Amino acid sequence: MPSCSSDCFFHAVEDVKVFSEDGTSKVVEILADTTARDLCQLLVYRSHCVDDNSWTLVEHHPHLGLERCLEDHELVVQVESTMASESKFLFRKNYAKYEFFKNPTNFFPEQMVTWCQQSNGSQTQLLQNFLNSSSCPEIQGFLHVKELGRKSWKKLYVCLRRSGLYCSTKGASKEPRHLQLLADLEDSRIFSLMAGRKQYGAPTDYGFCIKPNRVRNEAKELRLLCAEDEQSRTCWMTAFRLLKYGMLLYQNYRIPQQRKAVLSPFSTPVRSVSENSLVAMDFSGQTGRVIENPAEAQSAALEEGHAWRKRSTRMNILGSQSPLHPSTLSTVIHRTQHWFHGRISREESHRIIKQQGLVDGLFLLRDSQSNPKAFVLTLCHHQKIKNFQILPCEDDGQTFFSLDDGNTKFSDLIQLVDFYQLNKGVLPCRLKHHCIRVAL
């Protein structure tokens, strides 16, 4: 019997380099059939991250100013074969990856969606119609379209169907003789524009691109488009994904729940605070109870804060062994937290939020640029990013932090974040997911 050389066992193994947001990178050996989800789970395991199924592999093209999150089922080696040498993979959070399955009506404004079969038009059947290959959903509306090979943009009436993306040559007419094919879905992928105004003269900040798979470096072959706002752009891009991949996306969304019991050791999901319901508890009796009344929960949080301050002060009086004075500790302890991003600008904080998914409750904290003693909470709500200043205030000789002019005070930022994860208070929504960067 002829012997098999060692090459038989290793010919399918390839090296792939993945970068993190801080510029660090890791080279990983993968098989030809390794999916984006497989690689993310491996990186989660090796980086000791919490696996809450929101990690993604990003296809990043700096020379073209494009990026997109790979779908979980896509083969990494196959995608890499279509990338130019300047392009790279990034490892990043994306909480919005499957958000449209949870809140479809937030993603598809009624005026942008039409159905060829009127019986399928109800909002309750929205996703079923996208996933059902025999139905005919259509996204329609005006977009700014860049002419191929030219610098000019035109505002055209556009519609997205299973057969492709079309523009009307006569106003908003959708008669077949007036429709011109702009891009095909089958051999293309959809990307976000990272700096569309600067690189392509885009008329708005809400640019996206349909890139043929064969294109590596030729910007003139990209189909560049611009929406008027973030919600419209998200609608077009989500619809493209649903029409292109259909049930594969739903299976990707469902797999983590179905495979929890049989996952391999490196991909075993770890409990994530951001994905669990946080509740206020009362342990004053013999058994604990959940505090359901919001006012009582707020009172309990404040009492716990006062008790913590008293304990800290008492320990200091008695000669605590802590190397830091409690008042000093409260001003630096937040720097150990993943949600604290230090001295970054407002623009950078907004960029991070957008990259990690415009979902309600996504947040980060940073140093204030205008007040060296203050901090800023950057929070996403209804696909808009808002900033709230956290100011220090004095009470009985101690420093506290507050974002509501001292009405609710906290000893440190960790306590503040814990409180607003339970109660929205003056915020538009509770804090749910924090932006995180990891070093590979």
Side-chain angles (χ1 to χ4, degrees):
M1 185 176 177
S3 62
C4 181
S5 69
S6 59
D7 291 342
C8 297
F9 297 97
F10 299 105
H11 74 281
V13 176
E14 294 198 29
D15 287 343
V16 62
K17 192 172 189 178
V18 184
F19 291 81
S20 67
E21 298 286 3
D22 65 358
T24 59
S25 63
K26 188 183 290 287
V27 175
V28 185
E29 276 191 352
I30 62 169
L31 299 173
D33 62 352
T34 298
T35 65
R37 184 195 291 277
D38 294 334
L39 181 51
C40 283
Q41 288 181 332
L42 181 60
L43 292 169
V44 162
Y45 172 69
R46 291 189 178 178
S47 306
H48 309 289
C49 305
V50 172
D51 185 8
D52 55 6
N53 299 304
S54 60
W55 290 100
T56 57
L57 202 61
V58 176
E59 181 183 346
H60 180 77
H61 300 279
H63 56 297
L64 295 175
L66 307 176
E67 67 177 28
R68 75 173 182 106
C69 292
L70 269 68
E71 304 299 349
D72 286 342
H73 66 271
E74 288 188 80
L75 300 180
V76 178
V77 171
Q78 199 174 77
V79 173
E80 191 178 39
S81 70
T82 68
M83 293 165 60
S85 57
E86 303 94 332
S87 305
K88 58 186 177 182
F89 286 125
L90 302 175
F91 181 53
R92 181 193 292 163
K93 281 271 190 184
N94 180 13
Y95 292 105
K97 186 162 58 168
Y98 298 121
E99 189 70 13
F100 56 88
F101 282 122
K102 303 170 191 173
N103 302 296
T105 52
N106 292 349
F107 282 75
F108 300 102
E110 200 169 338
Q111 72 275 13
M112 289 183 67
V113 185
T114 59
W115 311 95
C116 295
Q117 299 162 334
Q118 291 302 316
S119 60
N120 287 339
S122 72
Q123 288 293 313
T124 55
Q125 291 182 316
L126 192 63
L127 285 174
Q128 288 91 324
N129 285 319
F130 271 109
L131 298 174
N132 179 2
S133 58
S134 64
S135 71
C136 306
E138 185 177 293
I139 302 297
Q140 60 186 17
F142 283 95
L143 285 174
H144 299 277
V145 181
K146 187 174 183 295
E147 295 186 80
L148 291 179
R150 296 185 181 181
K151 292 184 178 180
S152 57
W153 293 73
K154 282 186 177 179
K155 194 169 185 178
L156 300 172
Y157 192 78
V158 178
C159 58
L160 178 63
R161 299 173 175 175
R162 291 195 188 280
S163 55
L165 183 75
Y166 300 85
C167 70
S168 177
T169 57
K170 187 178 181 182
S173 170
K174 291 197 290 182
E175 287 186 38
R177 63 198 175 100
H178 296 144
L179 292 181
Q180 179 181 327
L181 182 68
L182 288 176
D184 162 307
L185 274 64
E186 180 133 359
D187 296 315
S188 305
R189 297 187 179 114
I190 195 159
F191 291 78
S192 295
L193 283 186
M194 293 185 288
R197 283 186 188 270
K198 184 177 179 181
Q199 192 162 355
Y200 296 108
T204 77
D205 293 319
Y206 311 106
F208 59 104
C209 165
I210 298 176
K211 173 181 166 293
N213 295 342
R214 70 176 190 281
V215 173
R216 289 176 181 244
N217 294 303
E218 306 81 12
K220 63 183 180 182
E221 293 192 51
L222 301 176
R223 178 55 75 188
L224 300 169
L225 308 137
C226 258
E228 293 294 347
D229 53 48
E230 188 60 60
Q231 188 184 32
S232 299
R233 172 168 72 168
T234 302
C235 176
W236 287 102
M237 294 185 71
T238 304
F240 183 99
R241 292 172 62 205
L242 280 164
L243 292 173
K244 182 175 175 67
Y245 299 111
M247 280 301 294
L248 267 175
L249 284 192
Y250 186 68
Q251 289 163 9
N252 291 342
Y253 168 60
R254 294 292 302 162
I255 281 171
Q257 288 79 20
Q258 295 166 349
R259 292 181 57 199
K260 278 183 181 177
V262 293
L263 287 174
S264 56
F266 69 78
S267 56
T268 302
V270 180
R271 179 178 174 139
S272 166
V273 173
S274 69
E275 292 297 325
N276 285 275
S277 298
L278 294 171
V279 295
M281 296 290 294
D282 174 18
F283 293 104
S284 58
Q286 291 184 338
T287 59
R289 70 178 180 89
V290 175
I291 301 175
E292 296 181 352
N293 185 319
E296 187 184 357
Q298 181 168 350
S299 174
L302 292 173
E303 284 179 22
E304 174 62 24
H306 291 310
W308 185 88
R309 287 195 293 275
K310 286 177 183 176
R311 285 196 298 273
S312 300
T313 307
R314 188 167 60 250
M315 285 176 69
N316 189 56
I317 292 169
L318 293 174
S320 167
Q321 297 302 307
S322 171
L324 287 173
H325 187 280
S327 61
T328 307
L329 182 63
S330 68
T331 62
V332 297
I333 194 169
H334 54 268
R335 299 189 182 277
T336 64
Q337 304 301 301
H338 287 304
W339 40 254
F340 188 74
H341 289 245
R343 295 182 181 280
I344 62 172
S345 66
R346 171 188 284 239
E347 293 72 27
E348 176 69 1
S349 69
H350 286 208
R351 187 182 70 82
I352 294 169
I353 293 268
K354 286 176 183 175
Q355 284 180 341
Q356 301 199 10
L358 290 170
V359 298
D360 285 0
L362 180 61
F363 75 97
L364 62 81
L365 269 74
R366 59 182 172 88
D367 289 309
S368 170
Q369 289 183 298
S370 58
N371 182 344
K373 293 183 179 179
F375 303 94
V376 177
L377 166 66
T378 303
L379 174 67
C380 179
H381 181 243
H382 288 173
Q383 294 188 326
K384 289 185 171 58
I385 301 172
K386 303 181 179 182
N387 297 282
F388 301 88
Q389 196 165 53
I390 301 167
L391 293 168
C393 53
E394 294 282 331
D395 188 4
D396 289 336
Q398 292 201 42
T399 301
F400 300 99
F401 298 96
S402 175
L403 56 72
D404 59 3
D405 296 323
N407 292 318
T408 316
K409 295 178 283 193
F410 303 94
S411 299
D412 57 52
L413 297 185
I414 294 179
Q415 193 185 89
L416 182 145
V417 168
D418 286 347
F419 176 81
Y420 287 107
Q421 284 180 319
L422 290 169
N423 314 272
K424 72 174 189 177
V426 295
L427 300 176
C429 63
R430 289 186 299 154
L431 308 182
K432 188 176 180 185
H433 310 289
H434 64 269
C435 289
I436 181 174
R437 286 175 162 180
V438 297
L440 289 175

